[in-house]
Amino acid sequence: MDPNKIILETRTEARKSKDGNAETCFLAIADSDGQASVRTLVLRDMIDNRYTLFINETSPKWQLLSQNSHYELLLWYPTQQKQFRINGSCHLLPHDEVSDKWQGRPDGSKYMDVLYQSHPQSSVIASRAELESRIHKIKIESVIKSMSPPMEVRGVELIANKIEVLDLNNTDRLHDRQVFTLENKQWTSEVLIP
């Protein structure tokens, strides 16, 4: 069984249930000293065992991911009581592919990408009002629908080769936990003690 199909079906049901996590994921990365960092991101696309995220080069998470391609992606859908832990490799998407996908992003995300060119992500700003003022200025100066994404916008595909599935739906509290491993283009599974 392909665990990616389980994820896709679960995410579809989570969307129907208006699950607050249906569009997000949690990305864990460690720096060269082993210091862990976890961030919430929008899961842009999911095709087969490829999970697409957009990250801006000005972001600290980009620095970590580009230095160390090891990651763990966590998907948690509370309405479905299912968790997925995904491990594998990371690959950059070509800029033309990023450009096509960028056009489908919400305008607010595009405005932020423009802002990051002059004010890097996670940098300090005086106040929320100043942030809103800078975004307003970008809205006035830019025709967002005809814009290309800034070169700092990067698309990454996280390629899964190990997926752990935790299903908390059993009423007897004996949770169903399995680990799936991709070897020679075939998924194998093992049951784990929860």
Side-chain angles (χ1 to χ4, degrees):
M1 172 176 266
D2 184 344
N4 296 288
K5 290 181 181 176
I6 299 170
I7 294 172
L8 190 58
E9 290 167 5
T10 304
R11 188 178 193 209
T12 298
E13 290 303 313
R15 283 175 167 157
K16 288 178 187 175
S17 299
K18 306 222 183 303
D19 193 313
N21 287 349
E23 304 305 321
T24 60
C25 60
F26 307 95
L27 177 66
I29 314 166
D31 66 17
S32 58
D33 296 327
Q35 180 66 39
S37 168
V38 180
R39 290 174 172 75
T40 305
L41 298 169
V42 174
L43 179 58
R44 296 288 168 196
D45 207 356
M46 193 175 86
I47 299 172
D48 299 324
N49 67 325
R50 300 184 325 269
Y51 297 78
T52 304
L53 309 173
F54 280 0
I55 300 175
N56 196 284
E57 282 185 4
T58 67
S59 167
K61 65 184 159 286
W62 171 256
Q63 305 308 320
L64 290 174
L65 196 56
S66 63
Q67 293 167 6
N68 177 4
S69 64
H70 298 288
Y71 69 89
E72 182 163 281
L73 191 67
L74 179 86
L75 305 176
W76 163 239
Y77 302 116
T79 60
Q80 306 307 302
Q81 288 294 288
K82 290 185 182 175
Q83 171 187 279
F84 304 92
R85 292 175 50 204
I86 303 164
N87 290 271
S89 59
C90 174
H91 301 279
L92 290 178
L93 291 174
H95 195 67
D96 60 331
E97 197 172 325
V98 171
S99 184
D100 291 343
K101 292 179 187 275
W102 191 77
Q103 296 305 331
R105 292 181 81 189
D107 286 350
S109 297
K110 294 179 193 175
Y111 293 133
M112 291 303 300
D113 283 334
V114 173
L115 178 67
Y116 295 151
Q117 291 180 293
S118 58
H119 297 83
Q121 189 173 5
S122 300
S123 61
V124 175
I125 193 163
S127 66
R128 173 76 184 188
E130 183 178 340
L131 173 63
E132 291 170 356
S133 173
R134 290 176 191 222
I135 293 297
H136 181 70
K137 183 178 178 190
I138 291 169
K139 287 179 182 180
I140 291 169
E141 295 173 352
S142 306
V143 180
I144 204 76
K145 301 237 182 286
S146 62
M147 287 181 63
S148 294
M151 290 304 292
E152 295 85 3
V153 176
R154 303 304 292 247
V156 293
E157 276 188 340
L158 305 177
I159 314 295
N161 60 27
K162 181 179 174 187
I163 298 176
E164 185 180 301
V165 179
L166 177 63
D167 185 338
L168 302 176
N169 284 297
N170 293 328
T171 56
D172 60 5
R173 304 283 299 162
L174 294 176
H175 307 313
D176 185 18
R177 186 173 170 213
Q178 295 181 67
V179 63
F180 294 82
T181 307
L182 184 63
E183 294 177 6
N184 301 320
K185 300 183 181 181
Q186 294 290 318
W187 287 100
T188 59
S189 69
E190 296 176 298
V191 174
L192 301 176
I193 296 176

